[in-house]
């Protein structure tokens, strides 16, 4: 049954694929949350903090209750609270959403470290995964296709969000508010309220992304659980042109880049693989440079977004 | 459309009775009565600050009038807020577009409905929209994002939106200020046809007499918040209207042209660039502007004029060719502009030529704050020099401002324009590049600014005038070129220009 050594260099793409699916889930959730928030015309850089706090809260509650799903729910609730706080502060005049976002990022991480101290040692239950590689005898294939339920939920959610933006009143309302505050007011909408709710929902998604980190991969709570996924997701949303379905593919791409280092290490590349650990960051920089232009405005950018105004 | 069938259709009459609106001590509107008969096209004339906006905002329920009321179809109506006005069938098209730029026309229409469905069945909505469009006299592409539509199409869509929402009394706030003459003619013609058909009643705020005589049935003129005159348009001449608006005989003198064209000042040679969308090329093979002439560039908006302006102001990179000023390559740096005495009046000067939150005095000093007595630039700024300069310019150009220290963003559009023009025309000017200088300005401001431009020309400046207002081009230019699809399509001397011919080239078929 065990044929692990036979596949040789094929292990690299396979490990990247498996890694992409495993690593991409937090990217996916945070980027969908950020996409939702940015479509309403506000940018929430605090999602990195929300992610870390969600990871802590999810792990702690899962440990206390013995249920990983209760942990996910707790992480989503914590994310909602962070989002509501961000959205509430930003409605005041003269408040800059980016500055508040950075403050929230530090606050979220700090609170998570403070409350998370007692949970570094204990072991909480993991989230379930579906073995989609049952048809193969090769252990690497089985490992790569061990797919977490949250990944599938996230994939479904990206399509759902795309549909919401296209075909529902709620989605169109969010887009109207994000694109033109004046037009929204003229329509009798309350832009602050729409943004508050969009930021809260975005925070909930980022919280779930955090729960995935601590409850599945890497699967434990410690202070280094996030490696900047929350911030990279902001770049990812720009790269995905604010389209939820593109967010899914972009998250996979970033996940694959993140898996490059471990994959090379697993086939015995012993030199310079640390450089490949930097692949997601290099990719972030490279993509943003490649897709930008000095002469053109970003296609698809919400008009009220402070970074693209 | 179910929501439309539920409402009664047909034009309604609106009467504002004894409207008075006070803001503190200031009376913006003083006992004004206007009767807009059902099915008529009514024009509301007045200078900036005459109270036109205040009046329509009271009618629409944005403001609560200090005293007076509104009768809709003869019944007293309480306009507590815009929603109450909408419910009675009153709608307004604002001067600035209220469409959502990145949404398609269809999405804009559907989401603007108060009863927009929770889940939108696009198949059904599309069929409904097609049926609605079939009844309308004009059409717009429904599947394009609004930001890809031309200004004229956006304005049509704004009007369509009001009709789609079942409004039967429309207020149009300077609807043609962003349109070309042909577009304006087209849109207003359709609007008038709708009033004639008894579908809607229209109240249009405007500055343009020509549009009033051409399209309106009745007319009301406001001056300083009071009713200054009105009646049937057919019985009034342009002079009558001007007299009602200004109080006395208007200052219509146009400065005579003196002198003729001299040496070439600005020369464009094989200029290549890409337009805003990054898709269409801008290709100007040869363009000269001589000293002592006004070269007018006509064209429908979106045909590369804005990009040409950006090339000349250094805001857009060249991909090929050269811009030469007096025989030297020109890249629009501050040093070059100063050396060659090149000055600019870009469109939307508050955005493109001012620091909105800095004071009027500081904005007026942008050309001189670092100029020292000798050849070396000044290090310490001189408060006195800035103040004296501001005082002179504010008096010289009749800029209306509360004080030189107030932020320039607080000034009205015409006064910002005057302020920028004052700054740009100070000292010697060899090349003046102007884009849509009178966009959205009232009558008095327009004639003052045009006179200044001609005066600069008479003093020997080369003037490049980019404008979407063909009347303005015809009035000011010694020579006219038409820009179409990013190229120079046609050239003619101003004196013998044939409007129909120019219009054909503007429309893209020469």
């Amino acid at each position: 049954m065990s044929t692990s050594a036979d596949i040789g260099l094929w292990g690299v793409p396979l490990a990247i694929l498996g890694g992409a699916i495993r690593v991409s889930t937090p990217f996916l959730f945070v980027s969908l949350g950020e996409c939702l928030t940015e479509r309403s015309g506000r940018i929430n850089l605090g999602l990195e903090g929300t992610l870390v706090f969600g990871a802590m809260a999810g792990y702690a509650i899962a440990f206390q209750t013995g249920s990983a799903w209760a942990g996910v729910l707790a992480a989503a609730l914590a994310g909602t609270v962070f989002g509501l706080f961000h959205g509430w502060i930003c409605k005041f005049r003269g408040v800059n959403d980016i500055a508040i976002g950075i403050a929230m990022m530090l606050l979220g991480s700090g609170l998570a470290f403070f409350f998370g101290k007692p949970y570094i040692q204990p072991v909480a239950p993991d989230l379930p995964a579906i073995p989609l590689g049952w048809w193969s005898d090769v252990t690497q294939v089985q490992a790569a296709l061990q797919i977490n339920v949250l990944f599938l939920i996230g994939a479904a959610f990206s399509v759902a969000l795309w549909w919401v933006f296209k075909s529902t009143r709620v989605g169109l309302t969010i887009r109207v508010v994000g694109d033109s505050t004046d037009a929204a007011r003229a329509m009798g909408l309350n832009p602050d309220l729409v943004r508050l709710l969009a930021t809260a929902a975005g925070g909930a998604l980022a919280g779930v992304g955090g729960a995935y980190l601590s409850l599945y991969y890497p699967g434990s709570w410690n202070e280094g659980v996030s490696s900047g996924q929350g911030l990279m997701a902001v770049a990812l949303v720009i790269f995905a042109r604010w389209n939820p379905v593109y967010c899914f593919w972009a998250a996979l791409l970033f996940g694959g880049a993140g898996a490059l280092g471990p994959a090379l290490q697993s086939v015995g590349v012993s030199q310079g693989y640390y450089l490949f650990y930097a692949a997601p960051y290099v990719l972030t920089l490279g993509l943003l440079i490649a897709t930008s232009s000095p002469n053109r405005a970003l296609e698809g950018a919400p008009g009220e977004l402070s970074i693209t105004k | 459309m179910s929501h439309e069938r539920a409402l009664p259709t047909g034009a309604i009459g609106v009467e504002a009775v004894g409207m008075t609106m006070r803001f503190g001590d200031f009376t913006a509107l003083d006992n004004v009565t206007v009767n807009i008969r059902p099915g008529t096209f009514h024009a509301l004339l007045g200078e900036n600050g005459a109270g036109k906006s205040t009046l329509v905002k009271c009618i629409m329920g944005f403001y609560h009038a200090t005293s007076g009321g509104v009768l809709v179809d003869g019944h007293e109506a309480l306009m507590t807020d815009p929603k109450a006005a909408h419910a009675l069938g009153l709608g307004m098209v604002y001067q600035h577009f209220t469409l959502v730029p990145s949404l398609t026309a269809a999405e804009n229409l559907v989401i603007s409905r108060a009863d927009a469905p929770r889940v939108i069945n696009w198949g059904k909505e599309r069929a409904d929209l097609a049926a609605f469009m079939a009844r309308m006299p004009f059409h717009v592409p429904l599947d394009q994002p609004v930001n890809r539509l031309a200004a004229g199409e956006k304005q049509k869509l704004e009007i369509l939106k009001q009709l789609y929402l079942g409004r039967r009394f429309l207020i149009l706030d300077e609807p043609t200020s962003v349109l070309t003459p042909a577009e304006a003619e087209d849109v207003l013609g359709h609007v008038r046809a709708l009033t004639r058909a008894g579908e809607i009643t229209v109240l249009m705020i405007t500055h343009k007499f020509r549009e009033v005589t051409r399209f309106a049935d009745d007319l009301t003129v406001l001056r300083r918040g009071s009713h200054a005159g009105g009646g049937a348009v057919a019985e009034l001449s342009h002079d009558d209207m001007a007299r009602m608006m200004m109080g006395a005989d208007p200052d219509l003198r146009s400065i005579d042209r003196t002198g003729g064209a001299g040496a070439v000042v600005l020369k464009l040679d094989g200029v290549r660039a890409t337009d805003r969308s990054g898709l269409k090329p801008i290709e100007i093979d040869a363009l000269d502007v001589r000293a002592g002439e006004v070269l007018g560039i006509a064209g429908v908006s979106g045909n590369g004029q804005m990009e040409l302006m950006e090339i000349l102001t250094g805001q857009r990179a060249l991909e090929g060719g050269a811009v030469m000023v007096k025989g030297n390559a020109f890249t629009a740096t501050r040093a070059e502009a100063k050396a060659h005495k090149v000055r600019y009046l870009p469109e939307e000067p508050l955005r493109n030529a001012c620091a909105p939150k800095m004071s009027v005095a500081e904005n007026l000093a942008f050309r001189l704050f670092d100029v020292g007595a000798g050849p070396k630039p000044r290090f310490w700024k001189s408060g006195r020099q800035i103040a004296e300069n501001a005082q002179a310019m504010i008096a010289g150009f009749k800029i209306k401002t509360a004080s030189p220290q107030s932020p320039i963003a607080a000034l009205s559009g015409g006064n910002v324009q005057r302020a920028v023009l004052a700054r740009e025309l100070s000292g010697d000017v060899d090349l003046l590049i102007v884009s849509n200088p009178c966009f959205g300005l009232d009558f008095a401001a327009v004639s003052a600014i045009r006179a200044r431009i001609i005066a600069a020309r008479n003093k020997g400046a080369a003037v490049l005038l980019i404008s979407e207002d063909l009347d303005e081009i015809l009035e000011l230019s010694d020579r006219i070129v038409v820009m179409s699809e990013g190229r120079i399509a046609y050239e003619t001397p101003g004196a013998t220009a044939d409007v129909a011919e120019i219009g054909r080239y503007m429309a893209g078929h020469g």
Side-chain angles (χ1 to χ4, degrees), chain A residues 181-205:
Chain A
T181 307
D182 291 339
R185 290 230 168 82
M187 260 175 224
L189 297 170
N190 179 348
D192 286 329
L193 180 67
V194 173
R195 289 191 184 129
L196 177 74
L197 296 177
T199 315
L205 285 169

Side-chain angles (χ1 to χ4, degrees), chain A residues 166-167 169 175 179 183 299, chain B residues 102 107 116 118 120 122 148:
Chain A
K166 185 170 95 54
S167 288
R169 188 173 66 198
R175 286 170 61 196
D179 213 36
E299 184 98 356
Chain B
S102 71
E107 287 173 332
R118 207 172 279 279
I120 297 156
W122 277 114
R148 299 225 185 107

Side-chain angles (χ1 to χ4, degrees), chain B residues 113-175:
Chain B
R113 252 158 60 191
D115 65 341
R118 207 172 279 279
V119 172
I120 297 156
N121 176 351
W122 277 114
K124 177 183 167 298
E125 293 297 339
R126 239 165 250 292
D128 285 353
L129 282 171
F132 165 74
M133 283 300 210
R135 290 192 284 117
M136 290 298 125
F138 49 95
H139 303 275
V140 288
L142 285 174
D143 292 320
Q144 294 266 346
V146 166
N147 53 21
R148 299 225 185 107
L149 298 181
E153 287 180 313
K154 283 187 201 169
Q155 193 62 272
K156 283 184 191 171
L157 184 58
E158 290 275 7
I159 293 166
L160 281 177
K161 186 171 101 179
Q162 297 298 323
L163 298 171
Y164 176 75
L165 294 172
R167 308 275 155 79
R168 297 174 291 144
F169 176 84
L170 280 195
I171 297 172
L172 309 179
D173 188 359
E174 295 186 30

Side-chain angles (χ1 to χ4, degrees), chain A residues 12-29 128-133 135 140-155 209 212-213 216-218 229 248-260 263:
Chain A
V12 177
L14 199 58
I16 290 177
L17 173 70
I21 293 171
R22 236 184 352 261
V23 179
S24 65
T25 309
F27 279 122
L28 179 56
F29 275 93
I130 302 171
L132 288 179
W135 47 269
Q140 284 96 328
V141 173
Q142 288 176 352
L145 293 180
Q146 189 80 2
I147 291 180
N148 189 275
V149 180
L150 274 186
F151 175 79
L152 299 174
I153 293 176
Y212 177 92
L213 282 178
Y216 186 72
Y217 184 80
Q229 282 100 328
F248 172 74
W249 297 113
L252 268 187
L253 183 67
F254 274 61
L260 192 60

Side-chain angles (χ1 to χ4, degrees), chain B residues 268 284 297 304-312 466 483:
Chain B
L268 270 68
I284 297 167
I297 297 189
Q305 304 97 311
M306 199 201 288
E307 285 83 359
L308 173 62
M309 187 69 187
E310 287 175 344
I311 289 168
L312 293 172
I466 300 172
M483 231 178 139

